[in-house]
């Protein structure tokens, strides 16, 4: 069990459900968000991650305020795509326990990477939020000029947990990539950030320390659809079995 993860999420191998903020009007976005938050928490998801995947920053602020007022005893976080500074600002303002940044290392040239390192250090100094940071993340280029091992060892100093993904949203993260990240990172927290489903969940979550799930939880496994409670239940049942059997990644 990873104590750093448990301190933030209050459980071993947490499952974080994505709130994509889909909808055609602000009212529609808010109504759907309320239903999806309730469905995910009620069916065992350990935390909700608010993201402007479809909605905008204002929708994220609304969702975080709603979570703070209606679910203050639950764990929730935020990812503002393309604006890490705003993510930290909103997390501080609305009591989010964690923040996700899609890429903290590997995607920039060395000169720009130095700037990012300083910026992240400054943001983290002024926030108590647990930072999930992607390395070799989906859709991101590799411009560091370093090996993946080097990027991982640098990345772990820029976040509290590394997020590993495949190449696209909803696409399964290759098990060999997860094992490589685990081997390089040792006991440092590792989160699977894309493509976990009821078929690969048992193997992946046995190695990793948690997962972020969006697409699989949606009706028919389509990202633009609303959350399907039966899909949430099905996956959480598997996760609970893994927890109960106390799987660890020591054999890897």
């Amino acid at each position: 069990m990873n104590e750093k993860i448990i301190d933030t999420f209050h459980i071993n191998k947490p499952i974080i459900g994505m709130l994509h903020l889909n909808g055609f009007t602000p009212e529609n976005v808010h109504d759907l968000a309320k239903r999806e938050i309730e469905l995910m928490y009620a069916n065992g998801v350990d935390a909700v991650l608010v993201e402007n995947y479809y909605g905008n920053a204002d929708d994220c602020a609304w969702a975080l305020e709603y979570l703070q007022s209606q679910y203050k005893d639950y764990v929730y976080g935020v990812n503002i795509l393309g604006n890490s500074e705003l993510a930290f600002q909103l997390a501080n303002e609305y009591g989010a326990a964690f923040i996700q940044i899609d890429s903290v290392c590997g995607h920039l040239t060395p000169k720009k990477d130095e700037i990012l390192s300083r910026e992240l250090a400054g943001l983290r100094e002024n926030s108590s939020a647990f930072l999930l940071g992607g390395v070799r993340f989906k859709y991101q280029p590799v411009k560091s000029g370093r090996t993946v091992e080097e990027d991982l060892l640098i990345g772990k100093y820029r976040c509290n947990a590394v997020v590993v993904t495949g190449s696209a949203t909803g696409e399964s993260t290759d098990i060999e990539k997860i094992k490589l990240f685990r081997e390089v990172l040792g006991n440092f927290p590792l989160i699977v950030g894309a493509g976990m489903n009821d078929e690969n969940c048992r193997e992946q979550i046995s190695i990793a320390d948690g997962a972020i799930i969006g697409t699989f939880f949606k009706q028919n496994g389509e990202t633009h659809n609303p959350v399907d409670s039966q899909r949430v239940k099905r996956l959480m049942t598997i996760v609970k079995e893994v927890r109960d059997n106390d799987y660890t990644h020591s054999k890897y």
Side-chain angles (χ1 to χ4, degrees), residues 19-40:
L19 188 68
H20 283 135
L21 296 171
N22 198 8
F24 300 104
T25 66
E27 294 76 14
N28 181 239
V29 170
H30 298 171
D31 287 345
L32 179 59
K34 289 178 181 178
R35 292 198 299 273
E36 292 190 333
I37 289 168
E38 181 179 4
L39 277 176
M40 286 192 283

Side-chain angles (χ1 to χ4, degrees), residues 212-236:
I212 301 167
I213 301 179
T215 301
F216 177 75
F217 282 163
K218 304 300 185 70
Q219 292 177 6
N220 301 318
E222 298 288 344
T223 307
H224 58 270
N225 284 341
V227 169
D228 182 336
S229 62
Q230 294 305 310
R231 282 176 165 259
V232 178
K233 284 181 182 178
R234 192 156 74 240
L235 187 133
M236 291 308 303

